[in-house]
Amino acid sequence: MLARSSPDRRRRAPAGAVAAPLIAALSFASLACAPAPARAPAHDPAPLRSLRIPDADLDRGPRTVSAAEALRDLDDARYAFEQAYAGLDGRSPSPSTRAIARAEGALRGRAAWRPDELARLLRDLFGAPDGHLAFGHGGRAPLRSTAAPRRPPGPAPRRFARASSRARPRAAAAAAAPLPGLPRGAAPPRRPGHGPPVELTRGRDGVPVLAIRTFDSAAAAALAALPALAAELRRAPAFVVDLRGNAGGDYRFAERFALALTDAPLCALDEREVISVAAAEGRANSVRRRLARGDVPAAARPRFVEHLAALERLAGALRARPGAAAPRAELTTRGAVVRGQAAGALEGRAVFLVDRGCASACEMLLALVRQIPGALVAGQNTRGGMSVGEVALFRLPRSGVTLSLGTRAFRDPLGDFAELRGFEPDVRLDGADPAGDAAALARRGWPASTPRRGARASCPRR
């Protein structure tokens, strides 16, 4: 395992991110001093098998397979997990030898296996409390089965009582004053996650409400405006950032927004990245399928094509390096600090409104903003899908069953996040108008007794 610790290292893009070619070069260069992994792949006569999905099979339907074919697909699945899955901290990336032997026995016990049956067997074998891990298949009737068990319950945070209109503080008039360059007027209510990628409106009493509905690189043109919007908002007495329904994407957009709100140093997430041929090929498979499906806007296609080329170069370089019989290495970063880029501290009060739709890069944003004095998280629990990201896609060649697994592991620096449970809000909003309640909360402020994690003078040692 390779370890890196930097006092001010810029974070790289997790799940779904578009990485620059420099990332590929950095990952390859770091392998020069990499020791062999602690455990070589078990009973693997060809450690550098290819897991690249042929173009014609990227969305091809699955088929029923014989027991012998299912066993060979199981071996490919085991290889993908051993060589590409980052896994949760403290857990092995693949099942025990005994568990695999039981699955092999089950496969031998039947003459044929339908793809949905094989997907369920693999889910039960490789499943972990990981919000990104999934099994399924494509085709006319696609299937996606998540591996995560039911989320654990958490304590109920403080609930927010609606403010009386007769008790408006004097600061409400200032909050209602227009900001330069921001649209006036209240926005009509929208369903969480629906609408433009970035939308700035005014809520109750003129409080600015910035809806960020995705961090997907396909929306890069809109997301590039986030630092400028943060510079405007941070001077307001109160504002709301509505993250409901934001399933994540490229964390770099989220980080740039957070750093534009403050000048404080923030504890970055710990990161552990798998560097292997399988991980690079699996991430490339994900990008190639998005391009093949045509769900990337024309303006964003060059970014995706560039990212795909970088991943394919990385896979080729890793395959050609000496010592390829031990193909997996890990690059670990702990205790890093990112420093805010604003001219000063956050001047007003910021409420970040979340729900179960906030996941991945959206939750990584919360890991930063929870450290900023003057910021509060309100709403519902987030999804709890942050611990393992940068998703790789694999397709088992005989059955067509697909595996989606994360190649980077992350850890909340303050320890408030739990996978599948997510972040607990500081203030729970259960009313019919959570955006309006969040605006009122930002305008009037919150009691000093409200439980939250504030900024720390230094990052905790881990």
Side-chain angles (χ1 to χ4, degrees), residues 250-439:
D250 188 338
Y251 173 57
R252 291 177 298 177
F253 293 114
E255 182 190 56
R256 291 166 188 162
F257 176 70
L259 297 183
L261 292 172
T262 182
D263 64 345
L266 304 177
C267 307
L269 287 86
D270 289 345
E271 178 181 337
R272 180 168 47 80
E273 176 191 1
V274 176
I275 301 172
S276 69
V277 174
E281 287 184 340
R283 293 198 295 264
N285 288 337
S286 295
V287 179
R288 289 169 54 238
R289 186 169 71 166
R290 287 199 67 181
L291 289 169
R293 286 180 167 180
D295 64 353
V296 178
R301 283 186 66 87
R303 294 172 58 88
F304 280 74
V305 171
E306 179 184 8
H307 180 38
L308 175 59
L311 289 170
E312 291 180 336
R313 286 196 301 269
L314 174 59
L318 292 174
R319 187 177 291 278
R321 70 187 172 97
R328 171 173 171 147
E330 292 186 353
L331 183 64
T332 300
T333 304
R334 294 191 180 96
V337 175
V338 288
R339 181 170 294 276
Q341 304 296 310
L346 180 65
E347 298 176 14
R349 290 183 296 273
V351 172
F352 287 78
L353 179 60
V354 298
D355 64 0
R356 291 293 294 174
C358 173
S360 194
C362 179
E363 293 174 306
M364 298 175 80
L365 171 64
L366 296 183
L368 293 183
V369 301
R370 285 170 68 90
Q371 303 175 52
I372 302 176
L376 190 83
V377 178
Q380 307 295 321
N381 279 46
T382 61
R383 183 182 304 172
M386 182 187 80
S387 295
V388 190
E390 190 84 17
V391 174
L393 173 70
F394 302 101
R395 184 181 188 274
L396 303 180
R398 299 153 197 92
S399 64
V401 169
T402 56
L403 320 173
S404 298
L405 53 88
T407 61
R408 282 185 181 168
F410 302 94
R411 185 164 55 183
D412 170 35
L414 301 187
D416 296 333
F417 177 86
E419 188 74 0
L420 305 187
R421 186 206 69 190
F423 280 110
E424 296 274 1
D426 301 315
V427 176
R428 188 173 293 278
L429 302 179
D430 289 327
D433 182 18
D437 289 344

Side-chain angles (χ1 to χ4, degrees), residues 109-110 126 205 207 229 286 461:
R110 292 175 51 180
F126 293 98
D205 294 320
V207 174
L229 291 171
S286 295
R461 293 182 178 272

Side-chain angles (χ1 to χ4, degrees), residues 181-197:
L182 302 188
R184 301 172 183 236
R190 292 181 182 269
R191 287 188 295 160
H194 290 258

Side-chain angles (χ1 to χ4, degrees), residues 135-161:
F135 303 80
H137 57 72
R140 294 183 178 180
L143 170 71
R144 186 178 188 275
S145 178
T146 59
R150 186 173 301 175
R151 69 183 182 94
R158 180 186 181 95
R159 295 179 180 271
F160 171 59

